[in-house]
Amino acid sequence: MNGVIEAPTIEYGALAPLLLVFGAAVLGVLVEAFAPRYLRRAIHMPLTLLSLLGAFALVIVTVVRGDVTGVAAAMGAVAIDGPSLFIWGVVLILSAVCVLMINDEGHFVASAAAVPGSAEEEEAEAAGSEHTEVYPLVLFAVAGMMLFPAANDLLTMFVALEVMSLPLYLLCGLARRRRLLSQEASMKYFLLGAFSSAFFLYGAAMVYGFAGTVSLTGISKALGTSGLLDPLLMIGLALLGVGLLFKIGAAPFQAWKPDVYQGAPTPVTALMASGTLVAAVGAVLRVFWVGLGNLDWNWRPVMWAVAALTMIIGSVLAITQTDIKRMLAYSSIAHAGFLLIGVMATYDKPEQNAGSLSAILFYLLVYSLTTVGAFAVVTMVRDPGGEAWHLSRWAGLGKRSPILAGVFAFFLLAFAGIPLTSGFFGKYAVFTAALGSGMEAGDSLGGWMTGLVVLGVVASAVAAFFYVRVIVLMFFSEPAADGPTIAVPSMGTVAVITVALLVTVGVGLFPQPALDLANQAASGLFIR
């Protein structure tokens, strides 16, 4: 063979934000290997924050320059376009504020290898040991969250899925309190996540068997020239959907979410409920809109059923919950259903999808920041054994700490979609996009889309019940004599709650700047 192997071309400028986070994660591993134990935390915290903020600055520079967007970088493996950069920016903001929560003491166990309640664990706590490796694990997870929605082929997407998931499996099992519950959550997440990854990989193999390529653009072209009902394609579509829908917690693949959210350390729960959801929805859009967009008349009926079931299960089962984190988990499931309404809002002409994409991006921005703020409040309400997880312990919180209770109530109202909150405009944007798509499609699909939006409105009303129930419990119930205490917040926790509150209030009163930002990002989507 006389052929010359061509060296791959890497667009380092376009990939700079992603490479910075990956590089910082590798440096964090080296810090764990070589730095003295007493210095690790002092090194990790600035390294982690500066890398995340630096990557966010690089995203802004990339957007301002504009000459590296709309391309498939790294030999076509990574799509650098408006939605990718928007999602990168959102994930980096979310991860930075979650790191501020992670830096607070008391969230993570001193020795994860010790048996819960054993003498070894007590010795580790007495010695002041801590798992500083949580910082590089978070950076690896964040890097995976950035690569996952930007992957332009199925193999890169699978690698990103594993890079995002594996650190989270470990982080979920490191809670200082309720150790057995935390370890159970970690094991459940690992086992079910491994199954979902296997489904995704098998689906990618099936789609490759149909199209002869794993490139999303190549798959889209193959759909335009081949029979659309090929068995390999249909099986691959179903398996890919299982793997992706698991990550956003859509029904019937949502069973892991309440258990994992309940058992994981609350800052990790906040990162999963916000960053992972944003990344997973971005990946769903990338696969179903870019790769399988020509097949939307086949996958939209199934997505309709999944969205309806997700909203119903999330809204109804949340009413029965007595654990505050499980309630927020079911709330997250319901919101995943609302987002799937937007995913269904596709048009026959791809360029018309910008309006629907803008609505989804806007929803992801406002919902994720509100979620982080709500979990930050949860970390401050404490019992002697840790966080006050049972709803009965929140009774009378408005009389003990009216400011904190008022902030949490506002976040709950935003989840419910009450006017003058960011959540209202998020749901309005998604529902409007779905109705517009249905009207353009004609009578049959239009009726189905209208019915789904009506179901979404009803689910929102049901969800408002359990949000208002918590508000009534906080402000119209007498506090117990041995009620929970309010922890003195660190500067990091104050910053997290402040940022989340400002966005929730600001977007609720003046949504246009955020909508314009989402519109600009959506218009930069390059698809088939």
Side-chain angles (χ1 to χ4, degrees):
M1 294 179 64
N2 297 322
V4 178
I5 299 177
E6 183 180 353
T9 57
I10 305 296
E11 294 80 357
Y12 291 101
L15 297 173
L18 183 63
L19 297 177
L20 177 58
V21 177
F22 270 118
V26 173
L27 285 177
V29 174
L30 296 178
V31 169
E32 284 294 313
F34 297 107
R37 183 177 296 273
Y38 68 92
L39 281 179
R40 292 175 188 172
R41 185 187 182 96
I43 299 174
H44 276 307
M45 185 58 185
L47 172 65
T48 303
L49 266 185
L50 288 176
S51 63
L52 294 174
L53 295 177
F56 181 73
L58 288 174
V59 169
I60 295 177
V61 171
T62 303
V63 172
V64 172
R65 286 174 57 193
D67 56 341
V68 294
T69 59
V71 299
M75 305 294 290
V78 183
I80 308 297
D81 54 12
S84 294
L85 294 172
F86 185 92
I87 291 175
W88 284 6
V90 173
V91 167
L92 290 168
I93 292 173
L94 296 172
S95 56
V97 296
C98 287
V99 165
L100 294 177
M101 296 168 57
I102 288 171
N103 193 51
D104 289 346
E105 296 183 1
H107 293 300
F108 296 93
V109 67
S111 177
V115 176
S118 65
E120 290 81 3
E121 186 177 61
E122 293 178 1
E123 291 175 2
E125 291 183 359
S129 301
E130 57 183 344
H131 279 286
T132 51
E133 61 265 31
V134 298
Y135 294 99
L137 286 174
V138 166
L139 284 174
F140 276 117
V142 171
M145 292 176 194
M146 295 174 66
L147 182 58
F148 193 36
N152 201 40
D153 66 62
L154 295 177
L155 282 184
T156 303
M157 188 171 288
F158 174 74
V159 172
L161 173 63
E162 294 305 293
V163 173
M164 175 181 71
S165 301
L166 291 174
L168 293 176
Y169 300 153
L170 295 174
L171 290 169
C172 287
L174 298 180
R176 180 178 291 270
R177 310 296 180 187
R178 297 196 286 180
R179 292 286 299 120
L180 290 176
L181 190 64
S182 177
Q183 292 177 349
E184 179 186 348
S186 178
M187 184 58 66
K188 285 181 178 178
Y189 193 23
F190 167 68
L191 292 176
L192 294 176
F195 274 112
S196 71
S197 297
F199 276 113
F200 183 90
L201 187 59
Y202 195 23
M206 289 292 180
V207 173
Y208 176 80
F210 161 76
T213 179
V214 292
S215 167
L216 295 179
T217 304
I219 294 169
S220 178
K221 291 179 180 178
L223 287 173
T225 58
S226 304
L228 299 183
L229 297 180
D230 188 283
L232 286 176
L233 176 64
M234 293 295 103
I235 296 173
L237 169 61
L239 294 175
L240 287 175
V242 170
L244 292 171
L245 293 174
F246 173 88
K247 278 302 170 186
I248 68 173
F253 316 108
Q254 86 296 340
W256 64 273
K257 215 168 193 179
D259 292 339
V260 174
Y261 279 27
Q262 181 185 19
T266 302
V268 176
T269 304
L271 179 62
M272 294 169 56
S274 56
T276 302
L277 179 66
V278 171
V281 171
V284 168
L285 291 171
R286 188 72 62 181
V287 170
F288 282 90
W289 282 23
V290 178
L292 303 173
N294 287 323
L295 206 64
D296 56 351
W297 280 94
N298 295 84
W299 57 254
R300 272 203 284 188
V302 178
M303 194 71 74
W304 191 100
V306 171
L309 187 62
T310 303
M311 290 186 293
I312 293 172
I313 288 179
S315 300
V316 173
L317 293 187
I319 299 175
T320 66
Q321 303 306 309
T322 58
D323 185 289
I324 188 69
K325 291 172 71 174
R326 290 184 69 88
M327 188 202 76
L328 292 175
Y330 279 104
S331 169
S332 175
I333 292 171
H335 282 278
F338 299 142
L339 284 162
L340 289 178
I341 295 178
V343 173
M344 291 182 57
T346 59
Y347 291 82
D348 292 335
K349 296 181 179 179
E351 58 270 15
Q352 294 179 292
N353 291 337
S356 301
L357 179 59
S358 172
I360 296 171
L361 295 178
F362 178 79
Y363 196 114
L364 289 173
L365 171 65
V366 297
Y367 169 73
S368 58
L369 283 170
T370 303
T371 299
V372 171
F375 280 107
V377 173
V378 171
T379 64
M380 295 177 57
V381 184
R382 305 280 182 86
D383 272 337
E387 295 166 359
W389 54 272
H390 200 278
L391 281 177
S392 62
R393 305 296 292 163
W394 289 63
L397 184 65
K399 299 178 181 178
R400 289 179 178 270
S401 180
I403 295 178
L404 186 67
V407 170
F408 191 64
F410 194 81
F411 288 147
L412 294 178
L413 292 176
F415 287 144
I418 302 301
L420 300 182
T421 66
S422 59
F424 169 78
F425 289 103
K427 290 183 179 179
Y428 177 80
V430 170
F431 291 165
T432 302
L435 290 175
S437 172
M439 291 177 61
E440 192 269 348
D443 293 338
S444 58
L445 184 60
W448 283 98
M449 293 296 287
T450 301
L452 189 61
V453 170
V454 171
L455 182 59
V457 173
V458 173
S460 297
V462 174
F465 170 79
F466 59 82
Y467 295 132
V468 173
R469 181 185 64 171
V470 178
I471 296 173
V472 171
L473 186 69
M474 290 191 297
F475 288 97
F476 298 98
S477 299
E478 290 297 324
D482 60 342
T485 59
I486 306 302
V488 177
S490 65
M491 293 298 295
T493 302
V494 171
V496 172
I497 296 175
T498 301
V499 170
L501 185 62
L502 288 177
V503 172
T504 304
V505 175
V507 176
L509 296 176
F510 307 102
Q512 198 57 48
L515 285 170
D516 291 341
L517 189 63
N519 287 332
Q520 182 180 357
S523 62
L525 174 68
F526 76 92
I527 53 179
R528 55 190 184 276

